[in-house]
Amino acid sequence: DTGVSQNPRHKITKRGQNVTFRCDPISEHNRLYWYRQTLGQGPEFLTYFQNEAQLEKSRLLSDRFSAERPKGSFSTLEIQRTEQGDSAMYLCASSSQGARHEQYFGPGTRLTVT
Amino acid sequence: AQKITQTQPGMFVQEKEAVTLDCTYDTSDPSYGLFWYKQPSSGEMIFLIYQGSYDQQNATEGRYSLNFQKARKSANLVISASQLGDSAMYFCAMRGDSGGYQKVTFGTGTKLQVIP
């Protein structure tokens, strides 16, 4: 299967702890996106990579959030000093350079901060 | 700025009937793309259909078709012959093509329930 994969699928952490999520995109896709989705809402854009370069970052992404995509393959999203408001589903998506740029999503990582 | 509006929080449809999910959008970009995604209770977003702003014909993908009315800025999804497996959240999204990054904005979604 060559779909987008994300790990872990679920993460429960205590407030103040750091967490890191991983996303493996579809292998031939050079664009990678992170979104956050809360209950009853659509996904909200967090950040975007083209190959290894982080080209766009939402104002939603505070200084506690950082994302990397070394070598333009998998990506990690780290949240430092987690807060209860960080509890959400974190979605990763990838797309190719085709005209449509449709994004293919992974299953998400559900974060619960207690 | 881009905005997607989905005014139907929830919809019911009888199995085998057709249903239309509404989506209106607002953008200042002359070129843009419109998407529909399905999100079952399992959580994964599934790409359904795409419409480019310059496409002359409405997009179709199997039982899904997109009723694109550019002047009205609407991009409604039509699902024909509904199946029980169509019960899910449906999100309309738009990609603007100005600038170096094509940001995608999602609506708040419509929850569709198919009744046997």
Side-chain angles (χ1 to χ4, degrees):
Chain A
D1 180 46
T2 57
V4 179
S5 61
Q6 292 187 248
N7 288 289
R9 295 291 306 276
H10 303 274
K11 179 70 177 179
I12 300 174
T13 191
K14 291 185 178 180
R15 190 175 51 157
Q17 298 294 304
N18 298 346
V19 294
T20 300
F21 309 141
R22 175 176 171 132
C23 170
D24 288 87
I26 293 171
S27 58
E28 60 266 30
H29 286 182
N30 65 333
R31 301 177 182 205
L32 187 146
Y33 313 79
W34 284 99
Y35 293 87
R36 180 172 66 189
Q37 186 179 24
T38 54
L39 200 61
Q41 299 296 316
E44 294 177 293
F45 168 77
L46 293 178
T47 191
Y48 156 68
F49 290 86
Q50 184 164 312
N51 299 313
E52 66 276 7
Q54 187 174 20
L55 298 184
E56 187 79 15
K57 193 174 174 181
S58 166
R59 284 171 292 180
L60 291 174
L61 224 60
S62 74
D63 292 343
R64 297 183 297 105
F65 288 71
S66 63
E68 294 182 341
R69 192 183 182 197
K71 302 178 184 178
S73 56
F74 70 92
S75 176
T76 58
L77 178 68
E78 181 183 16
I79 309 174
Q80 297 181 326
R81 305 181 303 281
T82 52
E83 302 172 355
Q84 287 188 320
D86 297 331
S87 295
M89 176 76 87
Y90 290 84
L91 295 167
C92 175
S94 68
S95 71
S96 66
Q97 281 188 300
R100 305 194 315 184
H101 302 291
E102 73 269 24
Q103 297 177 17
Y104 292 89
F105 283 78
T109 295
R110 182 166 295 283
L111 173 66
T112 302
V113 181
T114 61
Chain B
Q2 299 174 168
K3 186 176 181 181
I4 293 284
T5 302
Q6 294 180 256
T7 58
Q8 305 155 313
M11 290 277 288
F12 290 91
V13 64
Q14 203 77 35
E15 193 179 6
K16 299 181 186 178
E17 297 292 312
V19 63
T20 298
L21 307 184
D22 294 341
C23 172
T24 58
Y25 61 91
D26 193 21
T27 182
S28 55
D29 293 328
S31 175
Y32 50 89
L34 295 155
F35 305 84
W36 278 90
Y37 285 86
K38 172 184 179 181
Q39 189 175 42
S41 56
S42 59
E44 188 163 350
M45 299 280 285
I46 302 167
F47 166 71
L48 295 178
I49 195 167
Y50 166 84
Q51 179 83 42
S53 59
Y54 291 114
D55 292 344
Q56 295 298 313
Q57 293 188 322
N58 287 341
T60 60
E61 292 282 353
R63 294 186 299 111
Y64 305 108
S65 61
L66 200 152
N67 184 1
F68 180 47
Q69 298 188 41
K70 194 170 183 177
R72 295 185 178 184
K73 293 190 175 180
S74 74
N76 299 339
L77 177 70
V78 180
I79 305 174
S80 62
S82 296
Q83 301 172 356
L84 295 178
D86 294 335
S87 294
M89 285 290 291
Y90 288 81
F91 291 96
C92 180
M94 178 173 65
R95 181 201 74 234
D97 292 341
S98 66
Y101 164 60
Q102 295 95 357
K103 178 181 176 180
V104 176
T105 302
F106 286 80
T108 53
T110 295
K111 184 174 183 178
L112 177 66
Q113 295 185 65
V114 180
I115 305 167

